[in-house]
Amino acid sequence: MTGQQTDNVVTAAFLVIGDEILSGRTKDKNIGFLADYLTSLGIDLKEVRIVPDEQPEIVGAVNALRAKYDYVFTSGGIGPTHDDITAESIAAAFDVPLNLDPRAIAIMEPHYAPGQFTPARQRMARIPDGADLIENKVSKAPGFRIGNVHVMAGVPSIMQAMMDAVAPTLKTGAKMLSETVAADMPESRIAERLSAIQDAHPQTLIGSYPRASDGKFSTQIVIRSRDEAVLQAAVRDVAAAVADLSG
Amino acid sequence: MTGQQTDNVVTAAFLVIGDEILSGRTKDKNIGFLADYLTSLGIDLKEVRIVPDEQPEIVGAVNALRAKYDYVFTSGGIGPTHDDITAESIAAAFDVPLNLDPRAIAIMEPHYAPGQFTPARQRMARIPDGADLIENKVSKAPGFRIGNVHVMAGVPSIMQAMMDAVAPTLKTGAKMLSETVAADMPESRIAERLSAIQDAHPQTLIGSYPRASDGKFSTQIVIRSRDEAVLQAAVRDVAAAVADLSG
Protein backbone atom coordinates (compact mmCIF):
# COMPACT_ATOMS: atom_id res chain seq x y z
CA MET A 1 0.00 0.00 0.00
CA THR A 2 1.35 3.40 -0.91
CA GLY A 3 0.60 6.70 0.78
CA GLN A 4 2.09 9.21 3.15
CA GLN A 5 2.62 9.12 6.86
CA THR A 6 1.36 12.02 8.87
CA ASP A 7 2.83 13.42 12.05
CA ASN A 8 1.82 11.96 15.36
CA VAL A 9 2.47 8.36 14.35
CA VAL A 10 3.53 5.83 16.99
CA THR A 11 4.96 2.56 15.70
CA ALA A 12 5.36 -0.91 17.17
CA ALA A 13 6.68 -4.37 16.39
CA PHE A 14 5.58 -7.71 17.82
CA LEU A 15 8.01 -10.56 18.44
CA VAL A 16 6.43 -13.98 18.94
CA ILE A 17 8.86 -16.40 20.60
CA GLY A 18 8.22 -20.10 20.31
CA ASP A 19 9.11 -23.29 18.45
CA GLU A 20 5.51 -24.44 18.79
CA ILE A 21 4.21 -21.76 16.41
CA LEU A 22 6.91 -22.49 13.82
CA SER A 23 6.29 -26.25 13.92
CA GLY A 24 2.57 -25.71 13.38
CA ARG A 25 1.69 -27.45 16.63
CA THR A 26 0.15 -24.29 18.08
CA LYS A 27 -1.79 -21.88 15.91
CA ASP A 28 -1.02 -18.31 16.89
CA LYS A 29 -3.82 -16.26 18.39
CA ASN A 30 -1.79 -13.34 19.66
CA ILE A 31 -0.90 -11.61 16.38
CA GLY A 32 -4.48 -10.84 15.39
CA PHE A 33 -5.31 -9.80 18.94
CA LEU A 34 -2.39 -7.39 19.21
CA ALA A 35 -2.96 -5.98 15.71
CA ASP A 36 -6.55 -5.08 16.62
CA TYR A 37 -5.56 -3.83 20.07
CA LEU A 38 -2.81 -1.50 18.87
CA THR A 39 -4.91 -0.20 15.97
CA SER A 40 -7.68 0.69 18.42
CA LEU A 41 -5.18 2.52 20.65
CA GLY A 42 -3.71 4.56 17.78
CA ILE A 43 -0.42 2.67 17.51
CA ASP A 44 0.71 1.33 14.12
CA LEU A 45 1.89 -2.28 14.16
CA LYS A 46 4.57 -2.19 11.46
CA GLU A 47 6.27 -5.58 11.72
CA VAL A 48 5.82 -9.01 13.27
CA ARG A 49 8.48 -11.67 13.65
CA ILE A 50 8.20 -15.23 14.90
CA VAL A 51 11.46 -16.79 16.10
CA PRO A 52 12.33 -20.09 17.79
CA ASP A 53 13.34 -20.55 21.43
CA GLU A 54 16.99 -19.90 20.63
CA GLN A 55 18.84 -17.09 22.39
CA PRO A 56 20.82 -15.71 19.40
CA GLU A 57 17.60 -15.47 17.37
CA ILE A 58 15.72 -13.71 20.16
CA VAL A 59 18.57 -11.30 20.90
CA GLY A 60 19.04 -10.44 17.23
CA ALA A 61 15.36 -9.80 16.65
CA VAL A 62 14.85 -7.75 19.82
CA ASN A 63 17.82 -5.53 19.08
CA ALA A 64 16.79 -4.99 15.46
CA LEU A 65 13.20 -4.17 16.36
CA ARG A 66 13.76 -1.96 19.40
CA ALA A 67 16.08 0.26 17.38
CA LYS A 68 13.54 0.68 14.60
CA TYR A 69 10.15 1.15 16.28
CA ASP A 70 8.74 3.14 19.19
CA TYR A 71 7.61 0.00 20.99
CA VAL A 72 8.34 -3.70 20.90
CA PHE A 73 6.01 -6.30 22.40
CA THR A 74 7.03 -9.91 22.88
CA SER A 75 5.04 -13.00 23.79
CA GLY A 76 6.19 -16.41 24.93
CA GLY A 77 9.04 -18.04 26.80
CA ILE A 78 8.63 -16.58 30.30
CA GLY A 79 7.38 -19.71 32.06
CA PRO A 80 9.10 -21.98 34.59
CA THR A 81 10.50 -24.66 32.29
CA HIS A 82 13.94 -25.15 30.75
CA ASP A 83 12.71 -24.19 27.29
CA ASP A 84 11.59 -20.74 28.48
CA ILE A 85 14.60 -18.57 27.75
CA THR A 86 13.06 -15.19 26.98
CA ALA A 87 14.10 -13.42 30.23
CA GLU A 88 17.77 -14.32 29.88
CA SER A 89 17.67 -13.49 26.17
CA ILE A 90 16.21 -10.03 26.84
CA ALA A 91 18.82 -9.42 29.57
CA ALA A 92 21.50 -10.42 27.05
CA ALA A 93 20.00 -8.10 24.41
CA PHE A 94 20.20 -5.18 26.85
CA ASP A 95 23.51 -6.41 28.33
CA VAL A 96 22.22 -6.26 31.92
CA PRO A 97 22.20 -8.89 34.71
CA LEU A 98 19.21 -11.15 35.31
CA ASN A 99 18.49 -11.75 38.99
CA LEU A 100 15.70 -12.85 41.28
CA ASP A 101 13.65 -9.70 41.74
CA PRO A 102 12.33 -8.90 45.24
CA ARG A 103 9.22 -7.21 43.77
CA ALA A 104 8.38 -10.29 41.72
CA ILE A 105 9.01 -12.59 44.69
CA ALA A 106 6.71 -10.46 46.84
CA ILE A 107 3.93 -10.90 44.27
CA MET A 108 4.44 -14.61 43.62
CA GLU A 109 5.40 -16.17 46.95
CA PRO A 110 2.05 -15.59 48.75
CA HIS A 111 0.34 -17.29 45.81
CA TYR A 112 1.87 -20.68 46.73
CA ALA A 113 1.46 -22.97 49.74
CA PRO A 114 4.42 -22.89 52.16
CA GLY A 115 7.40 -24.67 50.61
CA GLN A 116 5.82 -24.66 47.14
CA PHE A 117 7.62 -21.60 45.78
CA THR A 118 10.10 -23.99 44.20
CA PRO A 119 13.25 -23.15 42.24
CA ALA A 120 11.35 -23.71 38.97
CA ARG A 121 8.68 -21.22 40.05
CA GLN A 122 11.36 -18.80 41.26
CA ARG A 123 12.71 -18.85 37.69
CA MET A 124 9.67 -16.76 36.80
CA ALA A 125 10.79 -14.09 39.29
CA ARG A 126 14.04 -13.47 37.42
CA ILE A 127 13.81 -9.96 35.94
CA PRO A 128 16.50 -8.03 34.03
CA ASP A 129 18.09 -5.18 36.00
CA GLY A 130 16.31 -1.89 35.38
CA ALA A 131 13.03 -3.40 34.24
CA ASP A 132 9.54 -2.50 35.50
CA LEU A 133 7.08 -5.31 36.20
CA ILE A 134 3.93 -5.89 34.15
CA GLU A 135 1.04 -7.13 36.24
CA ASN A 136 -0.39 -10.60 35.55
CA LYS A 137 -3.93 -10.79 36.93
CA VAL A 138 -4.40 -14.34 35.67
CA SER A 139 -1.53 -16.29 37.22
CA LYS A 140 0.63 -13.76 39.13
CA ALA A 141 4.06 -14.36 37.51
CA PRO A 142 4.74 -10.91 36.03
CA GLY A 143 5.94 -9.76 32.66
CA PHE A 144 8.33 -6.84 32.46
CA ARG A 145 9.20 -3.72 30.51
CA ILE A 146 12.78 -2.72 29.83
CA GLY A 147 13.49 0.28 27.63
CA ASN A 148 10.83 0.22 24.93
CA VAL A 149 10.41 -3.59 25.07
CA HIS A 150 7.39 -5.17 26.76
CA VAL A 151 7.85 -8.85 27.61
CA MET A 152 4.64 -10.83 28.01
CA ALA A 153 3.40 -14.41 28.33
CA GLY A 154 2.44 -16.54 25.35
CA VAL A 155 -0.79 -17.98 26.77
CA PRO A 156 -3.39 -15.74 25.10
CA SER A 157 -5.50 -15.06 28.21
CA ILE A 158 -2.40 -13.96 30.15
CA MET A 159 -0.96 -11.98 27.27
CA GLN A 160 -4.26 -10.13 26.90
CA ALA A 161 -4.41 -9.31 30.62
CA MET A 162 -0.83 -8.02 30.44
CA MET A 163 -1.71 -5.76 27.48
CA ASP A 164 -4.53 -4.28 29.55
CA ALA A 165 -1.95 -3.51 32.24
CA VAL A 166 0.48 -2.02 29.72
CA ALA A 167 -1.95 0.05 27.63
CA PRO A 168 -2.29 3.04 30.02
CA THR A 169 1.51 3.51 29.98
CA LEU A 170 1.79 3.83 26.19
CA LYS A 171 1.92 7.01 24.15
CA THR A 172 -0.51 6.84 21.28
CA GLY A 173 -0.82 8.60 17.95
CA ALA A 174 -3.72 9.82 15.86
CA LYS A 175 -5.92 6.80 15.25
CA MET A 176 -6.00 5.32 11.79
CA LEU A 177 -9.62 5.51 10.63
CA SER A 178 -10.87 2.90 8.20
CA GLU A 179 -13.85 2.24 5.96
CA THR A 180 -14.54 -0.73 3.74
CA VAL A 181 -16.39 -0.69 0.42
CA ALA A 182 -17.46 -4.11 -0.84
CA ALA A 183 -17.27 -4.71 -4.60
CA ASP A 184 -18.95 -7.73 -6.12
CA MET A 185 -16.33 -8.10 -8.82
CA PRO A 186 -12.76 -9.35 -9.20
CA GLU A 187 -10.26 -6.70 -8.18
CA SER A 188 -8.74 -6.63 -11.66
CA ARG A 189 -11.93 -4.94 -12.93
CA ILE A 190 -11.54 -1.97 -10.60
CA ALA A 191 -7.75 -1.85 -10.39
CA GLU A 192 -7.16 1.07 -12.75
CA ARG A 193 -9.87 3.21 -11.12
CA LEU A 194 -8.46 2.52 -7.66
CA SER A 195 -4.98 3.51 -8.74
CA ALA A 196 -6.28 6.85 -9.99
CA ILE A 197 -8.28 7.39 -6.77
CA GLN A 198 -5.19 6.60 -4.69
CA ASP A 199 -3.24 9.20 -6.68
CA ALA A 200 -6.01 11.77 -6.17
CA HIS A 201 -6.11 11.15 -2.41
CA PRO A 202 -2.48 10.91 -1.30
CA GLN A 203 -3.36 11.29 2.40
CA THR A 204 -5.22 7.98 2.31
CA LEU A 205 -4.08 4.38 2.07
CA ILE A 206 -6.29 2.39 -0.29
CA GLY A 207 -6.01 -1.37 -0.15
CA SER A 208 -7.73 -3.95 -2.31
CA TYR A 209 -8.35 -7.42 -0.88
CA PRO A 210 -9.66 -10.18 -3.11
CA ARG A 211 -11.72 -13.04 -1.80
CA ALA A 212 -12.29 -16.38 -3.46
CA SER A 213 -15.43 -18.30 -2.62
CA ASP A 214 -16.67 -21.24 -4.69
CA GLY A 215 -14.59 -20.03 -7.61
CA LYS A 216 -16.21 -16.58 -7.53
CA PHE A 217 -14.09 -13.53 -6.78
CA SER A 218 -15.16 -10.45 -4.89
CA THR A 219 -13.16 -7.55 -3.52
CA GLN A 220 -13.04 -5.62 -0.29
CA ILE A 221 -11.65 -2.13 -0.75
CA VAL A 222 -10.31 -0.62 2.45
CA ILE A 223 -9.70 3.11 2.67
CA ARG A 224 -7.67 4.39 5.60
CA SER A 225 -6.70 7.86 6.81
CA ARG A 226 -6.10 9.64 10.11
CA ASP A 227 -8.41 12.47 8.97
CA GLU A 228 -12.16 11.87 8.79
CA ALA A 229 -12.90 14.39 6.01
CA VAL A 230 -10.01 13.12 3.89
CA LEU A 231 -11.22 9.57 4.45
CA GLN A 232 -14.81 10.30 3.44
CA ALA A 233 -13.80 12.09 0.25
CA ALA A 234 -11.89 9.02 -0.90
CA VAL A 235 -14.68 6.67 0.21
CA ARG A 236 -17.14 8.61 -1.99
CA ASP A 237 -14.87 8.23 -5.01
CA VAL A 238 -14.39 4.51 -4.41
CA ALA A 239 -18.12 3.94 -3.94
CA ALA A 240 -18.83 5.84 -7.17
CA ALA A 241 -16.30 3.73 -9.07
CA VAL A 242 -17.83 0.51 -7.72
CA ALA A 243 -21.32 1.68 -8.73
CA ASP A 244 -20.08 2.60 -12.24
CA LEU A 245 -18.44 -0.77 -12.80
CA SER A 246 -21.33 -2.78 -11.34
CA GLY A 247 -23.75 -1.25 -13.84
CA MET B 1 13.82 -24.86 23.36
CA THR B 2 17.34 -26.15 23.59
CA GLY B 3 18.82 -29.13 21.80
CA GLN B 4 21.08 -30.01 18.93
CA GLN B 5 20.56 -29.96 15.22
CA THR B 6 21.33 -33.07 13.30
CA ASP B 7 22.62 -33.30 9.75
CA ASN B 8 20.18 -33.36 6.89
CA VAL B 9 18.26 -30.31 8.07
CA VAL B 10 16.55 -28.05 5.52
CA THR B 11 15.46 -24.63 6.75
CA ALA B 12 12.92 -22.08 5.59
CA ALA B 13 11.49 -18.67 6.38
CA PHE B 14 8.06 -17.28 5.54
CA LEU B 15 7.49 -13.63 4.68
CA VAL B 16 3.88 -12.43 4.87
CA ILE B 17 3.39 -9.19 2.96
CA GLY B 18 0.39 -7.04 3.72
CA ASP B 19 -0.89 -4.03 5.65
CA GLU B 20 -4.18 -5.83 6.22
CA ILE B 21 -2.59 -8.38 8.55
CA LEU B 22 -0.74 -5.70 10.54
CA SER B 23 -3.86 -3.55 10.93
CA GLY B 24 -5.83 -6.52 12.24
CA ARG B 25 -8.38 -6.27 9.46
CA THR B 26 -7.47 -9.69 8.08
CA LYS B 27 -6.54 -12.54 10.39
CA ASP B 28 -3.68 -14.55 8.92
CA LYS B 29 -4.43 -18.13 7.90
CA ASN B 30 -1.28 -18.83 5.93
CA ILE B 31 1.29 -19.07 8.74
CA GLY B 32 -0.30 -22.06 10.45
CA PHE B 33 -0.91 -23.72 7.10
CA LEU B 34 2.68 -23.33 5.93
CA ALA B 35 4.09 -24.39 9.32
CA ASP B 36 2.16 -27.66 9.16
CA TYR B 37 2.94 -28.15 5.48
CA LEU B 38 6.69 -27.67 5.79
CA THR B 39 6.89 -29.81 8.94
CA SER B 40 5.14 -32.63 7.11
CA LEU B 41 7.62 -32.32 4.21
CA GLY B 42 10.68 -32.42 6.47
CA ILE B 43 11.57 -28.72 6.18
CA ASP B 44 12.10 -26.68 9.35
CA LEU B 45 10.30 -23.34 9.39
CA LYS B 46 12.73 -21.22 11.41
CA GLU B 47 11.38 -17.68 11.10
CA VAL B 48 8.30 -15.76 10.03
CA ARG B 49 8.08 -12.06 9.33
CA ILE B 50 5.07 -9.92 8.52
CA VAL B 51 5.85 -6.62 6.78
CA PRO B 52 3.69 -3.87 5.26
CA ASP B 53 3.19 -3.18 1.55
CA GLU B 54 6.28 -0.94 1.46
CA GLN B 55 9.11 -1.73 -0.93
CA PRO B 56 12.07 -1.00 1.38
CA GLU B 57 10.58 -3.27 4.06
CA ILE B 58 9.96 -6.10 1.59
CA VAL B 59 13.41 -5.80 0.02
CA GLY B 60 15.16 -5.71 3.39
CA ALA B 61 13.30 -8.73 4.72
CA VAL B 62 13.72 -10.82 1.55
CA ASN B 63 17.43 -10.16 1.39
CA ALA B 64 17.95 -10.92 5.09
CA LEU B 65 15.95 -14.15 4.94
CA ARG B 66 17.22 -15.56 1.64
CA ALA B 67 20.80 -15.25 2.87
CA LYS B 68 20.03 -17.09 6.10
CA TYR B 69 17.75 -19.99 5.17
CA ASP B 70 17.60 -22.67 2.47
CA TYR B 71 14.20 -21.48 1.28
CA VAL B 72 12.05 -18.38 1.56
CA PHE B 73 8.32 -18.39 0.88
CA THR B 74 6.32 -15.19 0.52
CA SER B 75 2.57 -14.58 0.39
CA GLY B 76 0.65 -11.49 -0.65
CA GLY B 77 0.94 -8.51 -2.93
CA ILE B 78 0.95 -10.15 -6.39
CA GLY B 79 -2.51 -9.06 -7.49
CA PRO B 80 -3.56 -6.50 -10.13
CA THR B 81 -4.05 -3.40 -7.97
CA HIS B 82 -1.77 -0.45 -7.19
CA ASP B 83 -1.12 -1.68 -3.65
CA ASP B 84 0.33 -4.99 -4.89
CA ILE B 85 4.05 -4.26 -5.05
CA THR B 86 5.62 -7.63 -4.30
CA ALA B 87 6.84 -8.44 -7.83
CA GLU B 88 8.71 -5.14 -8.23
CA SER B 89 10.06 -5.44 -4.70
CA ILE B 90 11.43 -8.94 -5.34
CA ALA B 91 12.97 -7.76 -8.62
CA ALA B 92 14.60 -4.91 -6.69
CA ALA B 93 15.87 -7.33 -4.02
CA PHE B 94 17.54 -9.43 -6.72
CA ASP B 95 18.52 -6.36 -8.79
CA VAL B 96 16.98 -7.76 -11.98
CA PRO B 97 14.47 -6.21 -14.42
CA LEU B 98 10.74 -6.83 -14.13
CA ASN B 99 9.01 -7.28 -17.48
CA LEU B 100 5.87 -8.73 -18.98
CA ASP B 101 6.65 -12.42 -19.26
CA PRO B 102 5.55 -14.27 -22.44
CA ARG B 103 5.04 -17.51 -20.47
CA ALA B 104 2.73 -15.78 -18.01
CA ILE B 105 0.85 -14.01 -20.82
CA ALA B 106 0.35 -17.35 -22.58
CA ILE B 107 -1.23 -18.78 -19.43
CA MET B 108 -3.38 -15.78 -18.56
CA GLU B 109 -4.62 -14.33 -21.86
CA PRO B 110 -6.81 -17.30 -22.90
CA HIS B 111 -8.50 -17.05 -19.50
CA TYR B 112 -10.12 -13.71 -20.44
CA ALA B 113 -12.68 -12.70 -23.03
CA PRO B 114 -11.22 -10.89 -26.04
CA GLY B 115 -10.16 -7.39 -25.04
CA GLN B 116 -10.43 -8.17 -21.32
CA PHE B 117 -6.74 -8.88 -20.70
CA THR B 118 -6.47 -5.29 -19.51
CA PRO B 119 -3.34 -3.44 -18.38
CA ALA B 120 -4.28 -4.11 -14.73
CA ARG B 121 -4.51 -7.83 -15.42
CA GLN B 122 -1.28 -7.71 -17.42
CA ARG B 123 0.38 -6.36 -14.26
CA MET B 124 0.07 -9.89 -12.90
CA ALA B 125 2.16 -11.19 -15.83
CA ARG B 126 5.18 -9.12 -14.79
CA ILE B 127 7.86 -11.57 -13.65
CA PRO B 128 11.45 -10.81 -12.59
CA ASP B 129 14.10 -11.84 -15.12
CA GLY B 130 15.41 -15.32 -14.44
CA ALA B 131 12.41 -16.51 -12.45
CA ASP B 132 10.47 -19.75 -12.99
CA LEU B 133 6.68 -19.62 -12.85
CA ILE B 134 4.62 -21.28 -10.11
CA GLU B 135 1.35 -22.70 -11.38
CA ASN B 136 -1.93 -21.26 -10.03
CA LYS B 137 -4.71 -23.78 -10.58
CA VAL B 138 -7.28 -21.53 -8.91
CA SER B 139 -7.11 -18.28 -10.85
CA LYS B 140 -4.30 -18.67 -13.43
CA ALA B 141 -2.09 -15.65 -12.57
CA PRO B 142 1.15 -17.41 -11.64
CA GLY B 143 3.52 -17.02 -8.74
CA PHE B 144 7.22 -17.32 -9.35
CA ARG B 145 10.48 -18.67 -7.96
CA ILE B 146 13.71 -16.73 -8.19
CA GLY B 147 16.81 -18.09 -6.49
CA ASN B 148 15.60 -19.69 -3.28
CA VAL B 149 12.59 -17.37 -2.96
CA HIS B 150 9.06 -18.60 -3.78
CA VAL B 151 6.55 -15.80 -4.34
CA MET B 152 2.92 -16.77 -3.85
CA ALA B 153 -0.53 -15.20 -3.53
CA GLY B 154 -2.03 -14.13 -0.21
CA VAL B 155 -5.51 -15.57 -0.74
CA PRO B 156 -5.27 -18.83 1.25
CA SER B 157 -6.86 -21.10 -1.37
CA ILE B 158 -4.47 -19.84 -4.04
CA MET B 159 -1.44 -19.91 -1.76
CA GLN B 160 -2.21 -23.51 -0.84
CA ALA B 161 -2.56 -24.55 -4.49
CA MET B 162 0.76 -22.87 -5.25
CA MET B 163 2.46 -24.77 -2.40
CA ASP B 164 1.19 -28.00 -3.91
CA ALA B 165 2.85 -26.97 -7.18
CA VAL B 166 6.10 -26.01 -5.42
CA ALA B 167 6.43 -28.98 -3.06
CA PRO B 168 7.81 -31.52 -5.58
CA THR B 169 10.67 -29.13 -6.43
CA LEU B 170 11.93 -28.77 -2.83
CA LYS B 171 14.74 -30.70 -1.21
CA THR B 172 13.65 -32.02 2.16
CA GLY B 173 15.45 -33.16 5.27
CA ALA B 174 14.87 -35.86 7.83
CA LYS B 175 11.39 -35.30 9.20
CA MET B 176 11.05 -34.00 12.72
CA LEU B 177 9.04 -36.60 14.63
CA SER B 178 6.88 -35.46 17.51
CA GLU B 179 4.93 -36.93 20.41
CA THR B 180 2.85 -35.14 22.99
CA VAL B 181 2.39 -36.17 26.63
CA ALA B 182 -0.48 -34.45 28.42
CA ALA B 183 0.05 -33.54 32.08
CA ASP B 184 -2.90 -32.50 34.22
CA MET B 185 -0.82 -30.11 36.30
CA PRO B 186 0.73 -26.66 35.99
CA GLU B 187 4.06 -26.81 34.20
CA SER B 188 5.90 -25.45 37.24
CA ARG B 189 5.29 -28.77 39.01
CA ILE B 190 7.13 -30.77 36.37
CA ALA B 191 9.68 -28.17 35.32
CA GLU B 192 12.69 -29.54 37.20
CA ARG B 193 12.08 -33.10 36.02
CA LEU B 194 11.74 -31.93 32.41
CA SER B 195 15.00 -30.04 32.59
CA ALA B 196 16.80 -33.19 33.77
CA ILE B 197 15.15 -35.27 31.05
CA GLN B 198 16.17 -32.72 28.41
CA ASP B 199 19.76 -32.93 29.67
CA ALA B 200 19.66 -36.75 29.54
CA HIS B 201 18.31 -36.75 25.95
CA PRO B 202 20.29 -34.08 24.11
CA GLN B 203 19.16 -35.34 20.67
CA THR B 204 15.58 -34.37 21.49
CA LEU B 205 13.80 -31.04 21.81
CA ILE B 206 11.44 -31.02 24.78
CA GLY B 207 8.92 -28.22 24.94
CA SER B 208 6.41 -27.46 27.67
CA TYR B 209 3.20 -25.64 26.74
CA PRO B 210 0.86 -24.46 29.46
CA ARG B 211 -2.84 -24.07 28.94
CA ALA B 212 -5.23 -22.01 31.00
CA SER B 213 -8.88 -22.99 31.06
CA ASP B 214 -11.35 -21.65 33.63
CA GLY B 215 -8.47 -20.71 35.89
CA LYS B 216 -7.08 -24.27 35.83
CA PHE B 217 -3.68 -24.95 34.34
CA SER B 218 -2.60 -28.03 32.44
CA THR B 219 0.50 -28.74 30.39
CA GLN B 220 1.25 -30.30 27.05
CA ILE B 221 4.77 -31.68 26.86
CA VAL B 222 6.01 -32.07 23.30
CA ILE B 223 9.05 -34.24 22.60
CA ARG B 224 10.67 -33.96 19.18
CA SER B 225 13.52 -35.78 17.45
CA ARG B 226 14.44 -36.90 13.96
CA ASP B 227 15.21 -40.41 15.31
CA GLU B 228 12.32 -42.64 16.37
CA ALA B 229 14.25 -44.66 19.01
CA VAL B 230 15.73 -41.52 20.54
CA LEU B 231 12.26 -39.98 20.60
CA GLN B 232 10.62 -42.95 22.30
CA ALA B 233 13.29 -43.16 25.01
CA ALA B 234 12.62 -39.57 26.00
CA VAL B 235 8.84 -40.03 25.76
CA ARG B 236 9.09 -42.91 28.25
CA ASP B 237 10.99 -40.75 30.73
CA VAL B 238 8.51 -37.88 30.38
CA ALA B 239 5.52 -40.19 30.80
CA ALA B 240 7.12 -41.71 33.91
CA ALA B 241 7.71 -38.26 35.39
CA VAL B 242 4.11 -37.24 34.73
CA ALA B 243 2.86 -40.46 36.38
CA ASP B 244 5.10 -39.87 39.42
CA LEU B 245 3.92 -36.32 39.91
CA SER B 246 0.25 -37.12 39.32
CA GLY B 247 0.30 -39.67 42.17
Side-chain angles (χ1 to χ4, degrees), chain B residues 77-99:
Chain B
I78 61 168
T81 53
H82 66 280
D83 56 323
D84 291 306
I85 61 166
T86 295
E88 46 263 58
S89 301
I90 300 290
F94 281 83
D95 197 20
V96 298
L98 179 75
N99 292 306

Side-chain angles (χ1 to χ4, degrees), chain B:
Chain B
M1 192 175 287
T2 57
Q4 300 178 348
Q5 289 208 326
T6 61
D7 293 335
N8 195 15
V9 173
V10 179
T11 62
F14 184 30
L15 178 62
V16 177
I17 299 163
D19 291 5
E20 69 279 18
I21 306 292
L22 294 168
S23 74
R25 186 188 169 279
T26 300
K27 299 299 179 279
D28 168 75
K29 292 176 182 170
N30 292 333
I31 295 171
F33 166 80
L34 192 69
D36 284 335
Y37 198 104
L38 293 176
T39 297
S40 74
L41 286 178
I43 295 174
D44 289 6
L45 180 62
K46 297 291 288 180
E47 182 169 349
V48 175
R49 297 193 190 184
I50 309 174
V51 298
D53 299 303
E54 297 172 13
Q55 182 164 319
E57 300 303 318
I58 299 169
V59 169
V62 165
N63 282 338
L65 296 173
R66 72 189 175 99
K68 189 169 179 182
Y69 303 104
D70 294 320
Y71 293 121
V72 177
F73 302 90
T74 81
S75 72
I78 61 168
T81 53
H82 66 280
D83 56 323
D84 291 306
I85 61 166
T86 295
E88 46 263 58
S89 301
I90 300 290
F94 281 83
D95 197 20
V96 298
L98 179 75
N99 292 306
L100 279 175
D101 187 291
R103 299 166 300 175
I105 292 172
I107 292 167
M108 294 180 66
E109 194 162 26
H111 187 57
Y112 295 104
Q116 291 304 303
F117 191 41
T118 57
R121 288 169 176 150
Q122 290 177 30
R123 263 188 117 241
M124 295 188 281
R126 296 174 312 150
I127 304 290
D129 266 23
D132 293 329
L133 302 189
I134 297 174
E135 183 182 8
N136 169 2
K137 286 191 174 172
V138 177
S139 58
K140 299 297 174 192
F144 58 86
R145 179 196 63 75
I146 180 167
N148 61 344
V149 179
H150 300 76
V151 176
M152 305 184 290
V155 174
S157 60
I158 304 176
M159 189 268 202
Q160 293 171 20
M162 288 181 171
M163 269 310 294
D164 287 339
V166 165
T169 72
L170 302 174
K171 66 177 174 177
T172 57
K175 284 188 194 178
M176 183 67 84
L177 309 172
S178 169
E179 290 226 8
T180 300
V181 176
D184 190 22
M185 62 188 74
E187 60 175 357
S188 58
R189 193 187 300 168
I190 201 169
E192 284 158 65
R193 292 286 291 269
L194 288 183
S195 183
I197 296 169
Q198 175 70 79
D199 289 345
H201 298 273
Q203 296 299 320
T204 66
L205 296 159
I206 302 178
S208 171
Y209 304 109
R211 288 190 183 168
S213 178
D214 296 333
K216 189 169 175 343
F217 285 85
S218 61
T219 305
Q220 302 279 305
I221 301 152
V222 177
I223 307 96
R224 296 190 296 156
S225 175
R226 297 181 206 277
D227 182 296
E228 181 67 29
V230 166
L231 176 70
Q232 293 304 331
V235 167
R236 280 192 295 274
D237 284 1
V238 170
V242 169
D244 273 1
L245 294 167
S246 300

Side-chain angles (χ1 to χ4, degrees), chain A residues 184-219:
Chain A
D184 190 22
M185 62 188 76
E187 61 175 356
S188 58
R189 192 186 303 167
I190 201 169
E192 283 158 66
R193 292 285 293 268
L194 287 183
S195 182
I197 296 170
Q198 175 70 80
D199 290 344
H201 298 272
Q203 297 299 319
T204 66
L205 295 160
I206 302 178
S208 170
Y209 305 109
R211 289 191 183 168
S213 179
D214 297 331
K216 189 168 175 342
F217 286 83
S218 61
T219 304

Side-chain angles (χ1 to χ4, degrees), chain A residues 121-144:
Chain A
R121 288 168 176 151
Q122 289 176 31
R123 262 188 118 242
M124 295 189 282
R126 295 173 311 149
I127 303 290
D129 266 23
D132 295 328
L133 303 189
I134 297 174
E135 184 181 9
N136 169 0
K137 287 191 174 172
V138 176
S139 58
K140 299 298 174 192
F144 58 85

